[in-house]
Amino acid sequence: MGALRERPNDVFIAVMGVTGSGKSSFISLCSDQPVEIGHTLGACTSTVDVYAYDMSPDSTVYLIDTPGFDDTNRSDTEILREIATWLGDSYRNEILLHGIIYLHRITDIRMQGSARKNLIMFRQLCGENALKKVVLTTTMWDKISSEEGIERESQLKETEDFWGWMLAKGSSCHRHCNTVASARQIIHLLANHNTPIVTDLQKQLVDQGFELVQTSAGREMQSEMLKAKKEWAKERQEIEEQMNKAIQQRDREAEEIMREERDRYTRMIKKVEDDTIDLQSTFENLLKERDERVAQIEKRMEKQQADHKDELERIKDKHRQIEKEKQAQEVRDQGPAGQQENRDVQDMGSTKSTGYSPYSVTKVGPSFCCSSPTECIK
C-alpha cells in the first residue's frame, strides 16, 4: 500500500465476482493495461492487484482486481485471507474504497453453485451499509440473445435471494457491453462522489480485532466448510462399507476402486480441517504471513537473477574459448609462415599492451647499439 500516493480526488474501486465473470477483461478495458486473462482451467487472478488510469488531470482511478472464489488453484479460505489482508491493510492506511463492482455472467442459466456461494460471501464481506456503493454488473451480453439476457436479468433483480435484497438496500444494476465506454460509465457511477465506504470485514478485523473466523464472512465460510465436511464424511463411510463387501467377496478390482475413493474423501476432509485452522488468524497474523511470503518471493527472484547472471558469464566464457580455438585453427591452416607471422604479431601486441616500445638504444663502450624485434644495428 505504501506505493500508492493518494490525492484528494483519487478513487479506489474493488472489482469482485466469481472466477470467470470477466473481472480481468473489465479492468483491462478501463485502464488500457494488459491484465492476464485466463482461457484455461487455471484461474489467473490469484492475488490482489491494483491497476490505475487517469480519469482527469487531478484524479486517478485505482481498480483493485480481486481473486474470485472457486479458484481452481486455491481454496476459498486462501482467497478470503488474501482479500481480507488487502482490505484490512488499505483501511489501516486510510485508503478507503469508493465502491465495489460485482460482476456476474448473464450467460449463466441460473444462480447456483459457485455463483450463489460467491454472492453470499460477498454480502457478508460488504455488510449492509456498504451495499449503497455496490454496482451489480452483468457481463457477456454479446454471447446471448437480447431476449434471453433480459429475462435472466429480471430474474436476478426480482429474486430476493439473488440481487433483490441488495437492490432494496441501495445497490444498483447495470450492463457491461464489453466496450471501453461501457466499462468507464460504470466506473464513473462510483467515482463521482466523495463518500468512501468501510466494509464489515474491514471494521471487524481492524477496529474490533476479530479473528477472521469471527467475522461475518469467516463465519459464513466456516459454515459452508462444516456442511461439506459432514457430507464427505457420510460419503466416505458408505464407500468404506462397499470396500469391506468387496474384500469379503475377494473382488480386488472393486476393492482398489473403493480404496482410492475413500482416500480421496479423506484428503478432502483433511483439507477442510486445515482450512478451518487457517481461518483462526488475526489481522496482524495475516499481515505477518503476507510479508513473509513477499520476502520469500523476493529472495527467490534475487537467486534467479544471480543464477541468470552466472549463466550469462558462463556463455560469454564459452564464446571466448570458441573464438580462441577458431583463431588457433586458422593459424594452423596457414602453415609455418603463418604461424611465425602470428607469433610476431602476438609478440608485438603483447609488447604494445605493456606500454613499452619494441625498440631500444644501448651504449656499448664508445658505440651505440640500436635493437629492434628482428635485428640489432651497431
Side-chain angles (χ1 to χ4, degrees):
M1 296 307 302
L4 298 179
R5 296 181 179 179
E6 184 182 8
R7 297 176 299 174
N9 294 325
D10 287 346
V11 177
F12 295 84
I13 298 173
V15 183
M16 298 185 175
V18 71
T19 300
S21 58
K23 297 187 297 295
S24 297
S25 300
F26 181 90
I27 291 173
S28 182
L29 282 173
C30 281
S31 63
D32 195 27
Q33 296 181 48
V35 180
E36 187 176 8
I37 301 171
H39 297 286
T40 64
L41 290 177
C44 286
T45 313
S46 57
T47 58
V48 175
D49 293 315
V50 181
Y51 298 86
Y53 81 91
D54 293 329
M55 186 172 63
S56 67
D58 65 342
S59 178
T60 298
V61 174
Y62 293 95
L63 299 174
I64 297 97
D65 188 10
T66 64
F69 293 100
D70 263 22
D71 190 302
T72 55
N73 300 314
R74 301 196 299 170
S75 69
D76 287 348
T77 299
E78 292 175 280
I79 299 300
L80 180 60
R81 285 166 59 89
E82 189 77 35
I83 294 174
T85 303
W86 196 95
L87 287 175
D89 194 23
S90 64
Y91 178 51
R92 191 177 65 172
N93 285 279
E94 299 182 351
I95 295 177
L96 304 181
L97 295 177
H98 290 75
I100 301 173
I101 296 172
Y102 183 86
L103 301 181
H104 175 80
R105 297 179 296 249
I106 197 63
T107 52
D108 287 356
I109 297 176
R110 59 182 62 87
M111 178 78 72
Q112 63 178 12
S114 61
R116 187 162 188 172
K117 180 178 67 175
N118 197 85
L119 181 62
I120 295 172
M121 283 299 304
F122 175 73
R123 290 178 185 173
Q124 299 295 340
L125 183 153
C126 289
E128 187 172 322
N129 291 333
L131 291 177
K132 297 175 183 178
K133 301 295 172 58
V134 169
V135 178
L136 301 166
T137 304
T138 48
T139 62
M140 303 186 183
W141 282 87
D142 56 330
K143 301 182 182 299
I144 195 172
S145 67
S146 179
E147 295 78 9
E148 193 173 4
I150 292 172
E151 182 180 350
R152 292 180 186 175
E153 183 185 50
S154 297
Q155 185 182 32
L156 288 170
K157 294 164 66 175
E158 295 170 6
T159 304
E160 184 175 355
D161 288 343
F162 298 167
W163 288 3
W165 181 79
M166 290 188 289
L167 291 172
K169 297 297 180 181
S171 300
S172 61
C173 180
H174 293 271
R175 301 174 187 176
H176 171 47
C177 301
N178 200 31
T179 64
V180 174
S182 171
R184 292 194 173 179
Q185 182 181 21
I186 294 169
I187 293 292
H188 293 174
L189 290 173
L190 297 170
N192 293 324
H193 68 82
N194 296 318
T195 307
I197 60 172
V198 180
T199 66
D200 276 6
L201 184 59
Q202 291 172 313
K203 289 185 288 187
Q204 291 165 354
L205 276 178
V206 180
D207 294 338
Q208 300 174 16
F210 285 2
E211 289 185 353
L212 187 55
V213 72
Q214 296 172 318
T215 66
S216 300
R219 290 198 304 270
E220 180 64 34
M221 180 164 289
Q222 185 183 46
S223 175
E224 290 297 319
M225 289 193 300
L226 291 176
K227 289 179 184 177
K229 180 182 177 181
K230 185 176 180 179
E231 292 176 2
W232 294 339
K234 182 179 179 181
E235 291 286 339
R236 183 176 65 176
Q237 180 62 35
E238 293 176 357
I239 289 171
E240 284 185 341
E241 292 174 359
Q242 296 176 28
M243 185 181 71
N244 291 333
K245 286 182 180 180
I247 293 173
Q248 293 174 1
Q249 297 171 359
R250 300 180 183 278
D251 187 341
R252 295 294 180 84
E253 183 177 355
E255 177 190 347
E256 184 62 26
I257 293 173
M258 293 300 105
R259 192 182 302 278
E260 290 179 359
E261 277 294 286
R262 182 201 62 181
D263 293 345
R264 184 172 70 88
Y265 276 104
T266 298
R267 290 192 298 270
M268 291 163 63
I269 292 171
K270 178 64 167 58
K271 183 65 171 66
V272 166
E273 293 171 346
D274 292 341
D275 286 345
T276 301
I277 294 174
D278 287 342
L279 284 177
Q280 298 170 1
S281 298
T282 64
F283 175 56
E284 295 302 326
N285 287 338
L286 291 173
L287 286 179
K288 180 180 178 181
E289 291 174 17
R290 181 204 61 184
D291 292 342
E292 289 174 351
R293 289 197 307 272
V294 170
Q296 291 173 358
I297 292 172
E298 290 176 346
K299 187 175 181 180
R300 285 199 299 269
M301 291 179 64
E302 289 175 358
K303 185 178 185 305
Q304 289 174 356
Q305 291 174 351
D307 291 343
H308 180 64
K309 184 177 180 181
D310 291 342
E311 181 65 13
L312 287 178
E313 288 300 322
R314 187 190 69 79
I315 293 173
K316 289 178 181 179
D317 289 342
K318 184 66 176 178
H319 285 177
R320 284 192 288 265
Q321 182 64 29
I322 292 173
E323 188 64 27
K324 287 181 180 179
E325 292 175 358
K326 181 180 178 182
Q327 292 175 356
Q329 184 61 46
E330 290 175 351
V331 171
R332 286 193 294 270
D333 292 343
Q334 292 171 0
Q339 294 175 20
Q340 179 61 46
E341 181 180 352
N342 183 68
R343 282 196 295 270
D344 292 342
V345 171
Q346 288 179 345
D347 290 342
M348 292 178 66
S350 174
T351 305
K352 183 177 179 182
S353 65
T354 62
Y356 296 104
S357 171
Y359 301 94
S360 64
V361 177
T362 306
K363 183 177 181 181
V364 182
S367 303
F368 289 91
C369 177
C370 178
S371 61
S372 75
T374 57
E375 60 181 329
C376 179
I377 303 174
K378 293 184 179 180

